[in-house]
Amino acid sequence: MNKEEQVIMGFRDLFNKMVWLNKFKMEESLKGYKSSEVHCIEYIGRNLDSNVTKLAESFYMTRGAISKLTKKLIEKGLIESYQKPDNKKEIYFRLTEQGKVIYKIHAELHKEFQERDKDVFEQVTEEQFDSMLRFVEKYSRHLDAEIKKLGVDIQSE
Amino acid sequence: MNKEEQVIMGFRDLFNKMVWLNKFKMEESLKGYKSSEVHCIEYIGRNLDSNVTKLAESFYMTRGAISKLTKKLIEKGLIESYQKPDNKKEIYFRLTEQGKVIYKIHAELHKEFQERDKDVFEQVTEEQFDSMLRFVEKYSRHLDAEIKKLGVDIQSE
DNA sequence: ATTATTTTGTTGACAAGGAAACAAAATAAC
DNA sequence: GTTATTTTGTTTCCTTGTCAACAAAATAAT
């Protein structure tokens, strides 16, 4: 196995682990809330005028899936929808007071994760960070171009 | 947003993209085979004496899910199960001839991906590779320790 | 040796997400 | 201005994965 593969597979494994562990911790502190719901709340809290389409693109999920998820969050009273006076098609979301509470708890949890992983990151130099960021950005742009080449309507796939 | 977050979120985004794109390409060349099935075949092809438990741990999925997936692969004639004379409990898997065909096609596809992404990796120095690998390994070990701390039966969660 | 615990794999009920078809509104073409 | 195309969000059906309960075998405890 060459180093490219090692890096990719290493990150894949690392990522699976992180997702699994953080999901576990998340659903432990935020009982009654699924991690997908919390991620959705996080996105809506961070980004103004989120809608189904933007959420779907960000999470690499279908609009149908997001539509159902946001519907559930509205029923639970965590988010609410609104529209703009000059557009009767697009539907945006924002957090309710109750949603903001979850958002804050999530943010706290995030800090806990950072604290937990501090030791690992402390040993990374500024140069290493920058080098990794450059790699990520370059690779990401490269894949964007490849995705564009497909010339495909994302929703239908 | 600090650099730790940038790195983590950058990799998350990069990863989502890669999974999405490679899944698309995979199911395009290997029509009739889902990427989850192909991943399973890949693992069984690579690892001697794979069983439900090992697959589940590697993929961070439940044994139940893997049990169903392998059942389907057996029905499709891609893998077969076998046991050892001195153990009537554990059930292992190996590829059938048909499964090996898929395995090889997948390996070819993998090479195509490497070719496709060559430009990105060519610009990474040996030092950068090593630095990333050290980071991944350190972080991975750190998370292993954290997962161990949970003291939890993985299956039940 | 006998009993208790753990490991391994399977099943059925349920939930989450994808695919495709659809309606309504917005935008582009003409 | 009218018509065609695209965008946006929803719904229904289906697949995939989780959860929890279970049985059988292996291992540990006594």
Side-chain angles (χ1 to χ4, degrees):
Chain A
M1 192 159 64
N2 59 27
K3 285 198 176 167
E4 296 179 26
E5 279 184 279
Q6 274 182 279
V7 169
I8 295 299
M9 293 185 72
F11 269 111
R12 186 175 67 183
D13 191 50
L14 175 61
F15 221 73
N16 284 338
K17 253 175 227 177
M18 206 183 320
V19 167
W20 188 90
L21 177 59
N22 290 358
K23 183 179 167 179
F24 184 94
K25 287 279 186 185
M26 189 98 79
E27 296 181 352
E28 193 183 44
S29 351
L30 282 165
K31 283 206 206 301
Y33 300 95
K34 291 285 160 61
S35 78
S36 58
E37 297 174 343
V38 178
H39 280 134
C40 198
I41 289 170
E42 184 195 9
Y43 186 94
I44 293 170
R46 262 182 210 276
N47 302 89
L48 204 66
D49 295 343
S50 323
N51 60 4
V52 166
T53 299
K54 284 184 208 156
L55 281 160
E57 282 171 1
S58 167
F59 294 167
Y60 289 81
M61 285 168 60
T62 60
R63 293 205 305 271
I66 301 292
S67 182
K68 290 167 193 168
L69 187 49
T70 50
K71 192 180 173 185
K72 200 159 62 173
L73 290 174
I74 290 173
E75 281 164 6
K76 286 191 177 187
L78 296 164
I79 64 173
E80 57 191 8
S81 62
Y82 63 95
Q83 291 190 285
K84 296 190 177 181
D86 55 338
N87 189 318
K88 292 172 186 176
K89 190 173 62 161
E90 296 183 355
I91 300 167
Y92 304 99
F93 303 112
R94 64 177 159 236
L95 300 183
T96 61
E97 286 309 310
Q98 201 191 334
K100 285 178 191 167
V101 173
I102 303 300
Y103 182 83
K104 273 176 195 158
I105 295 174
H106 169 266
E108 285 304 314
L109 208 57
H110 216 73
K111 274 185 205 158
E112 273 182 44
F113 293 156
Q114 290 204 337
E115 189 61 27
R116 177 194 73 194
D117 300 339
K118 202 181 52 182
D119 291 353
V120 174
F121 283 99
E122 266 176 1
Q123 294 177 52
V124 179
T125 66
E126 201 72 5
E127 282 79 3
Q128 281 177 306
F129 270 128
D130 291 337
S131 149
M132 285 199 275
L133 280 172
R134 277 198 306 275
F135 172 74
V136 167
E137 269 169 40
K138 195 171 289 169
Y139 205 170
S140 198
R141 277 202 305 272
H142 175 69
L143 293 182
D144 284 339
E146 289 293 327
I147 287 173
K148 219 168 185 176
K149 274 189 201 167
L150 298 177
V152 151
D153 172 15
I154 303 294
Q155 163 69 4
S156 70
E157 290 301 329
Chain B
M1 192 160 63
N2 60 26
K3 288 199 174 168
E4 296 180 28
E5 279 185 278
Q6 274 182 278
V7 168
I8 294 300
M9 293 186 73
F11 269 111
R12 185 173 68 182
D13 191 50
L14 175 61
F15 222 73
N16 284 338
K17 255 176 225 178
M18 205 182 320
V19 167
W20 188 91
L21 177 60
N22 290 0
K23 182 178 167 178
F24 184 94
K25 289 278 187 186
M26 188 96 81
E27 296 180 352
E28 193 183 43
S29 348
L30 282 165
K31 281 204 207 301
Y33 302 94
K34 292 284 162 62
S35 78
S36 58
E37 296 174 344
V38 178
H39 279 135
C40 198
I41 289 170
E42 184 194 8
Y43 185 93
I44 293 171
R46 262 182 210 274
N47 301 90
L48 203 68
D49 294 342
S50 325
N51 59 5
V52 166
T53 299
K54 284 183 208 158
L55 281 161
E57 281 171 1
S58 167
F59 294 167
Y60 289 81
M61 284 168 58
T62 59
R63 292 204 307 268
I66 302 292
S67 181
K68 289 169 190 169
L69 185 49
T70 51
K71 192 179 174 186
K72 199 160 60 171
L73 290 175
I74 289 173
E75 281 164 6
K76 286 192 175 185
L78 296 163
I79 63 173
E80 58 191 9
S81 62
Y82 63 95
Q83 290 190 287
K84 298 191 175 180
D86 55 338
N87 189 317
K88 294 172 183 172
K89 189 174 62 160
E90 296 182 357
I91 300 168
Y92 304 100
F93 303 112
R94 64 177 159 234
L95 301 183
T96 60
E97 287 309 311
Q98 201 191 335
K100 285 178 191 167
V101 173
I102 303 300
Y103 182 82
K104 274 176 194 159
I105 296 174
H106 169 265
E108 285 304 314
L109 209 58
H110 216 72
K111 276 185 204 160
E112 272 182 47
F113 294 158
Q114 288 203 338
E115 191 61 25
R116 177 194 72 194
D117 300 338
K118 202 182 54 181
D119 292 353
V120 175
F121 284 99
E122 267 175 1
Q123 295 178 51
V124 180
T125 67
E126 201 73 4
E127 282 78 4
Q128 282 177 306
F129 269 128
D130 292 337
S131 147
M132 284 199 276
L133 280 173
R134 277 197 306 275
F135 172 73
V136 166
E137 270 169 39
K138 194 170 291 167
Y139 205 169
S140 199
R141 277 202 304 273
H142 175 69
L143 293 182
D144 284 340
E146 288 294 327
I147 287 173
K148 216 167 186 177
K149 272 190 202 166
L150 297 177
V152 151
D153 172 17
I154 302 293
Q155 163 68 3
S156 69
E157 288 302 327

